[in-house]
Structure formats: structure tokens, C-alpha cells
Amino acid sequence: MTNRRFILRRRPVGDPVPEDFELVSEPIPDVPAGGLVVRNHYCSLDPAQRGWMDDAPSYMPPIPLGEPVRATTVGEVYASDNPDFPVGSWVMNLSGIEEYSAVELGHFTAPIDIGMVDSPSKFLSAMGAVGLTAYFGMLEVAKPKAGETLCVSGAAGAVGSVVGQIGKIHGCRVIGIAGGAEKCRRLIEDYGFDVAIDYRGKSREDLVEEIAKAAPDGLDMVFENVGGDILEAEVHNLAKKARIVLCGLISEYNSVEKHGLQNLWQLIVHQASIHGFLIMDYADRFPEGGAQIAQWIAEGKVRIDEDVQEGIENTYDAFMRLFSGKNTGKLVLKIA
Amino acid sequence: MTNRRFILRRRPVGDPVPEDFELVSEPIPDVPAGGLVVRNHYCSLDPAQRGWMDDAPSYMPPIPLGEPVRATTVGEVYASDNPDFPVGSWVMNLSGIEEYSAVELGHFTAPIDIGMVDSPSKFLSAMGAVGLTAYFGMLEVAKPKAGETLCVSGAAGAVGSVVGQIGKIHGCRVIGIAGGAEKCRRLIEDYGFDVAIDYRGKSREDLVEEIAKAAPDGLDMVFENVGGDILEAEVHNLAKKARIVLCGLISEYNSVEKHGLQNLWQLIVHQASIHGFLIMDYADRFPEGGAQIAQWIAEGKVRIDEDVQEGIENTYDAFMRLFSGKNTGKLVLKIA
């Protein structure tokens, strides 16, 4: 029996290419003292992983070369030297894209009750970082008030679609920006957004105009997942005291030259603010956020879709769906 | 008797040139019904005026071509059709760079008591926007805590020097960035900063290193007056939850291409925030802010210097001192 592992061989420059990675087969690891070996069933594929591949200062150390690509995983305890985590129980983990992970217990291993959900993958979407990111980003940073206007970029993505739905729950007018007619259709029909803007083939000036048409009184909140021209166009359309939640910048992760935000002056004009946001900050309140999201799902007020890709041998192609805009909903890789 | 007026003839492209303006002589205006004619004695010269010269969306309409350059002024009532403002009383105004202004009373005309100060110009510096900008920007946006580290750009400028002194009053370590050895000397000796960094002749990378040396645990607060490479270097050195008060971007006002901020990602890494800031927002609390600044000055805790230039015929040269970095302290033009 072997353990297939998706290894980072070299640091990508710009777009990752298949040669940056290697799928290797190794023996199943031994159980660390006091720890576990976990059979990973699902792993999360996220834009943040692209950042972890770079050797740049960030909120986590870079993924070491020769190690598997870091990922949030859910799996079953396969071997255990810890009575709190018996063999056959399920855990959520920050480990790697591999079939079996040797886990030394620490901050990022949590038991999960898969009886609560129709698929363990839900712990990577609805019950995981996706729902929590949207919940705390909206409630604690954007602080929506009824009647305000919210613009979400990457709106058909996992986090974006939940952000928009939370905006609607709070009585906001919600504008989503996404790529392609099908994603825009889903924003309106599946997620209840008020306006969908297709950014494909549009210049920054086109986007400025489309947002202005959709929000004549300006944007009170921006939930930013993309950056680049989309962020510039939003910042050209701010209302007074607008709050911009800076959650992600997927348009930049594969670029060597960072675009950033040229139009800082508009922040002064509108007394607007940008807030860099990581959910880690709210770790002690995850149970509260998870319970609220679960309740909204149960009430039919929030819908979270998953895009489940299969097979560790398909990791590279699955991961690149994030950057080609192919994924619809939370991208998850089924390993076993 | 004539009224000399410093007129905006055309909108500057990049650096203003003398031909963008014209000094004209016109008759002293008539008193508007219910209003005043004010003999202007001093006017404020500020980076913000450069922005008002552009035909770009901002927090105020552009200065109309053919009209005097808009400025905050202090002067004496020369003719009055309003019993609340008798001839010979003094007022502060948002009017224009001209010897006499016809004033229709509204939001921006306030009586002042020049007996309180050694020179009426103090209402354009210590008792005016300079002190209030520093006070509300620090107290309401940066929110200093004892032991935190503050970095101020444009530190030897009017606002910057007061910001640093307010940081010291609150028990912070204060780093100032300024241009040239003499300004850096003043930061330490006159204003009590802990560290002065001379940005002249230094690359972005040099500045990143110098700030890192001065603030090994990162910057908790940045008070930004400059932008460009200085802002980038600060953003490379943020502490967790850093607050950036975006007060001005003087490095950009004369550039056609805006630099902005490339390194947005660091905001996410450090969960930092940028706050566009205008004091207008705090207009109802100006008496509180003015009183506090006056008390700090009386107690010797805050020192506010003025750079008084003389003669309306020298307006262009005086104004350009802001951009050449020549002014030391609040730049004021003495008109009469």
C-alpha cells in the first residue's frame, strides 16, 4: 500500500505549470508519537494555495519544496496514538494534498461529525472556511445596513456567492461581478443577486460605467476577491464612507508585477476604507459563525454549491480551474 | 483702489507652470445682499489646492477657470450688509487668493478672535485645519495606544509634525520620514520624534530596510501624506492590525499616471486597514479639537511652525514650495 502525494517541486513563476509539481508514491507514514495518520478523503483547493507556493512574506510560511502542497483536508483516522482521535473517527486538518497524512496534533486538527452533513466535503464548504469567510467578512468588517448597496467580485465563486446571499439577508441591494453569461445567470437565479455584471471582454472604463448604472448612488460596501481592473472600477464608484473588505486578489496571484490599486485618491474623496481580512482572526468565534450559516442553509436562505473534482492524479487540472474561472462553487478535490 | 486676484487660467497638466495662472487687477467688488466684502490678510497654501485645479471627481467641485484659486483665508470685514459681521471684525473663510473677496455667508465663514493669537495666520495653522487634521486623524482614525509604533510621512510638514507630536503625547514610538538632513534634524530636535528617516536618494528597497531597522516589530500606525515609494515601503513593514490614515498623496498630485499602492496583498497578510480621511467629517467637533490643540500648545507639548511667504504677486513661487519640499511648517501667504 502506498501513499500518493502531490509535491511542490519548484516555485511557480506566474501561472503554475504541471512541471512545478510531481505526484510521487511513498509508503504510508508511521504514526507520530501522540499523533495520527489520517486517510484524506477530500481536500480544499483555494486561491490562497497559490500564495503559499511563493517564497514571499505572508501570514504562513511558504510550502517547503519537496513537500506536498498545503491544503485543508477532511479524512478518517487510519492509525492513532491518541485516545481523543480513535481509528475510524473523522477530522478536519491543515495538512497536504496526499492520500495519507502523518499528523502531529496542534492548532489545526479538529474532530468533525460527518453525520451532520450529506457529504464530508461540506466541512470544506458550507461548514468550513467558505461560509465563515463570508460570515465574518460581512458581519464584522462590512457591517451591512438595510438599504445599502453591496458589490461582490468573484461573485459566482464559493465565498462570493455566500457574501451576496448574506447581503440579501440584511436587506441590501447586491451587485455581483462574474465572468461569463452562465455565471451571471446563476447569480440572479440561484443566489438571488439583484444585478449581475459580466466582466469578460470589458475595459476598466466599461466596468466603471456598468457599476455606475447599477449603483447610481455608489457602493456602500465592496467585497473584493479579484483585484485589478475590477477593483479599480469599484473604487471609481464608491459612496461616502464605503467599506472595502479585501478578502482576495485572485487576478494577481499568478502575476509577477502586482497591479494593486492605482486610484487611492478616491478613498480620501469618499472617506472610504479598505480592510485586509483573514478569518483566522475570528477562530474563537467559528462555532457561532458555523451555527448561523448552518441555520441559514436549513432555512433555505443560503445555498452553497460545490464543484467536486475527482482523483489526486488530477490535482493540477483541478487547481487551475480556479484561475481559468471554470469552477462553479467551492472547488473540492475528492481523493478517496 | 483695485483688487488683485490670482486667477486659474487653465488646468495644469502635471506640475503647475506660471502660465497656468494670471494675476489680474479688478475693482473691489460690491457687497452682496446680506453678505460681506473681506480684505484678505493671509491665505493658506495646501497640497489639496492642486487637486482642486483638476477637472476630476473629488470632494469639492473643480476651481472654475477664470476664477481665483480657492483657498482658506483670514481677513477683516471691509464692507458689510450683515449685522453679525460688522466692518473691522475678523473672519475665516473659504474664498480665493485675492485681496478682497465678496462673500455670501454660508457654511464656511466663521468669526475669529485675533486677540487670542500672536498673528492672525495662526487660524490657518495651529487653530485651523493643520491642528484639526492631525487631531482627528490620530484620535479618531489611528487611535494610538501607548507603546505602539507610528510612522509619519511628510513628517516635517505642517500636519506631519503635529501628528508625530500627538503620537508622543500618547506614549508611542514615532518615526518620521522627511526629505533632507535639515528637516530630519528638526524632527528630532524641534518635534521630539524618536527616529528620522531621510528619503532623499533612496530606493524603495532602501526605505523598506530603513523602516524595518527603525521598527523591528512593524508599524502599528501609518499617517500618510505622501504616497508612492514611501507608502510602499511602509506597507512592507506593517504590524498585525495596522491602521493607515490616508490623509494626502502629495507625490501624486502633479503626476498624470497615478502610482497608488501596488502591494495590497500585505493588507491581507497583516489584517491592516487604510482609511481615507477628510476633516470635514468632524466639522461639528472642531471646537473640541481646537481647544485640545490650543491647550497642548499652551503646555508646550505641541509646537506648530509657520512658513510665511509674502505678497500675492509671489503666489506661484510660494505654492510650488509645497512640491519642491522647501516649506518648513505650515505654508501661509501674507497678502496684506
Side-chain angles (χ1 to χ4, degrees):
Chain A
M1 298 214 2
T2 61
N3 178 23
R4 287 186 296 170
R5 315 177 82 198
F6 185 70
I7 300 292
L8 183 66
R9 271 289 160 238
R10 64 177 187 197
R11 306 207 176 277
V13 178
D15 288 325
V17 295
E19 295 70 30
D20 295 329
F21 310 96
E22 187 184 359
L23 191 67
V24 302
S25 282
E26 295 178 6
I28 295 176
D30 294 331
V31 187
L36 317 171
V37 173
V38 175
R39 173 74 170 106
N40 296 317
H41 285 249
Y42 292 91
C43 80
S44 184
L45 296 178
D46 300 294
Q49 288 164 309
R50 175 64 188 85
W52 301 340
M53 294 173 192
D54 288 338
D55 187 13
S58 190
Y59 57 95
M60 278 200 182
I63 299 167
L65 293 180
E67 291 291 317
V69 170
R70 187 186 294 135
T72 307
T73 56
V74 292
E76 206 178 342
V77 176
Y78 171 83
S80 175
D81 185 37
N82 188 303
D84 293 338
F85 294 89
V87 170
S89 67
W90 284 71
V91 293
M92 191 165 151
N93 239 322
L94 185 68
S95 53
I97 304 178
E98 55 190 350
E99 293 177 309
Y100 296 86
S101 294
V103 174
E104 295 181 6
L105 294 174
H107 193 60
F108 293 113
T109 304
I112 57 175
D113 175 3
I114 61 164
M116 288 172 63
V117 289
D118 57 359
S119 159
S121 62
K122 287 282 156 55
F123 283 94
L124 301 176
S125 58
M127 310 297 289
V130 169
L132 293 170
T133 298
Y135 179 82
F136 288 106
M138 282 297 286
L139 276 283
E140 294 301 315
V141 188
K143 297 183 178 155
K145 290 189 278 289
E148 287 191 322
T149 299
L150 163 70
C151 184
V152 188
S153 64
V159 170
S161 66
V162 184
V163 165
Q165 292 174 83
I166 293 176
K168 291 306 299 176
I169 289 170
H170 286 83
C172 299
R173 176 172 167 82
V174 178
I175 300 164
I177 304 179
E182 169 55 16
K183 284 188 176 177
C184 286
R185 186 198 62 74
R186 293 175 54 235
L187 290 185
I188 304 289
E189 292 177 15
D190 295 352
Y191 303 127
F193 283 52
D194 297 293
V195 181
I197 296 175
D198 183 356
Y199 70 78
R200 293 245 173 114
K202 285 180 191 151
S203 68
R204 184 189 298 187
E205 290 65 33
D206 295 339
L207 290 169
V208 169
E209 266 179 51
E210 285 216 34
I211 297 170
K213 233 188 303 173
D217 298 326
L219 304 172
D220 300 294
M221 293 167 286
V222 170
F223 199 104
E224 187 57 42
N225 296 305
V226 175
D229 278 343
I230 289 175
L231 177 58
E232 298 285 354
E234 291 159 342
V235 168
H236 267 282
N237 280 288
L238 297 178
K240 191 175 171 185
K241 303 240 168 186
R243 294 86 69 194
I244 301 171
V245 183
L246 193 63
C247 178
L249 290 165
I250 198 170
S251 70
E252 306 212 334
Y253 297 160
N254 289 335
S255 18
V256 178
E257 265 294 303
K258 303 305 181 192
H259 173 90
L261 175 60
Q262 272 188 301
N263 199 3
L264 276 184
W265 175 247
Q266 289 300 312
L267 299 182
I268 298 182
V269 169
H270 299 289
Q271 298 126 74
S273 51
I274 302 186
H275 304 262
F277 172 69
L278 283 177
I279 54 161
M280 288 179 187
D281 247 32
Y282 300 92
D284 58 335
R285 292 176 55 195
F286 283 179
E288 165 204 330
Q292 179 63 79
I293 293 283
Q295 190 190 328
W296 281 332
I297 292 173
E299 293 172 353
K301 288 181 179 163
V302 165
R303 163 182 173 164
I304 300 184
D305 289 311
E306 293 184 347
D307 176 357
V308 180
Q309 300 293 307
E310 301 215 3
I312 194 169
E313 65 280 8
N314 299 318
T315 305
Y316 172 79
D317 289 338
F319 183 62
M320 294 307 287
R321 291 171 69 81
L322 290 170
F323 301 98
S324 64
K326 275 190 196 149
N327 69 304
T328 53
K330 176 68 191 96
L331 186 62
V332 169
L333 183 71
K334 189 172 191 314
I335 295 177
Chain B
M1 296 211 7
T2 63
N3 178 22
R4 285 186 298 169
R5 315 178 81 198
F6 185 70
I7 300 292
L8 182 66
R9 270 288 162 236
R10 64 179 188 197
R11 306 206 175 277
V13 177
D15 288 324
V17 294
E19 295 70 30
D20 295 329
F21 309 96
E22 187 185 356
L23 191 67
V24 301
S25 281
E26 295 179 8
I28 295 176
D30 294 331
V31 187
L36 318 171
V37 172
V38 175
R39 173 73 171 107
N40 296 316
H41 284 248
Y42 291 92
C43 80
S44 183
L45 296 178
D46 299 295
Q49 288 164 310
R50 175 63 187 85
W52 301 339
M53 294 173 193
D54 287 339
D55 186 14
S58 190
Y59 56 94
M60 276 199 185
I63 299 167
L65 294 179
E67 291 291 315
V69 170
R70 185 187 295 135
T72 307
T73 55
V74 292
E76 204 179 343
V77 177
Y78 171 82
S80 175
D81 185 38
N82 188 305
D84 293 339
F85 295 88
V87 170
S89 66
W90 283 71
V91 292
M92 189 164 151
N93 239 321
L94 186 68
S95 53
I97 304 178
E98 55 191 349
E99 292 178 307
Y100 295 86
S101 294
V103 174
E104 296 182 4
L105 293 175
H107 195 57
F108 292 112
T109 304
I112 57 175
D113 175 4
I114 60 164
M116 289 172 62
V117 289
D118 57 359
S119 156
S121 62
K122 287 283 157 53
F123 283 93
L124 301 176
S125 60
M127 310 297 288
V130 168
L132 294 169
T133 297
Y135 179 82
F136 289 106
M138 282 297 286
L139 276 283
E140 294 301 314
V141 188
K143 296 179 179 160
K145 291 189 278 288
E148 288 192 321
T149 299
L150 163 70
C151 184
V152 187
S153 64
V159 170
S161 66
V162 184
V163 164
Q165 294 174 83
I166 293 176
K168 292 307 298 175
I169 289 170
H170 286 83
C172 299
R173 177 171 165 80
V174 178
I175 300 164
I177 304 179
E182 168 55 16
K183 283 187 177 179
C184 285
R185 187 198 62 72
R186 292 176 55 236
L187 290 186
I188 305 289
E189 293 178 14
D190 294 351
Y191 303 129
F193 283 52
D194 296 292
V195 181
I197 296 176
D198 183 355
Y199 69 79
R200 294 244 172 116
K202 285 181 191 150
S203 68
R204 186 188 299 188
E205 290 66 32
D206 295 339
L207 289 169
V208 169
E209 265 179 52
E210 285 215 34
I211 297 170
K213 233 187 303 171
D217 298 326
L219 304 172
D220 300 295
M221 294 168 285
V222 170
F223 199 104
E224 187 57 43
N225 295 306
V226 174
D229 278 344
I230 290 175
L231 177 59
E232 298 285 354
E234 291 159 342
V235 168
H236 267 281
N237 280 289
L238 297 179
K240 191 174 170 186
K241 303 240 169 186
R243 293 87 69 196
I244 301 171
V245 183
L246 192 62
C247 179
L249 290 165
I250 198 169
S251 70
E252 306 212 334
Y253 297 160
N254 289 335
S255 19
V256 178
E257 264 296 302
K258 303 306 180 192
H259 173 91
L261 174 61
Q262 272 188 300
N263 198 4
L264 276 184
W265 175 247
Q266 290 300 312
L267 298 182
I268 298 181
V269 169
H270 299 289
Q271 298 126 74
S273 51
I274 303 185
H275 304 262
F277 172 69
L278 281 178
I279 52 161
M280 287 180 189
D281 248 32
Y282 299 93
D284 56 336
R285 292 176 56 196
F286 284 178
E288 166 205 331
Q292 179 63 79
I293 293 285
Q295 190 190 326
W296 281 332
I297 292 174
E299 294 170 353
K301 289 181 179 165
V302 166
R303 163 180 172 164
I304 301 184
D305 288 311
E306 294 184 348
D307 176 356
V308 180
Q309 300 293 308
E310 302 214 3
I312 194 168
E313 65 280 10
N314 298 318
T315 304
Y316 172 79
D317 289 339
F319 183 62
M320 294 308 287
R321 289 171 71 82
L322 290 169
F323 301 97
S324 65
K326 274 191 198 149
N327 69 303
T328 53
K330 176 68 190 97
L331 186 62
V332 168
L333 184 70
K334 188 171 192 312
I335 294 178

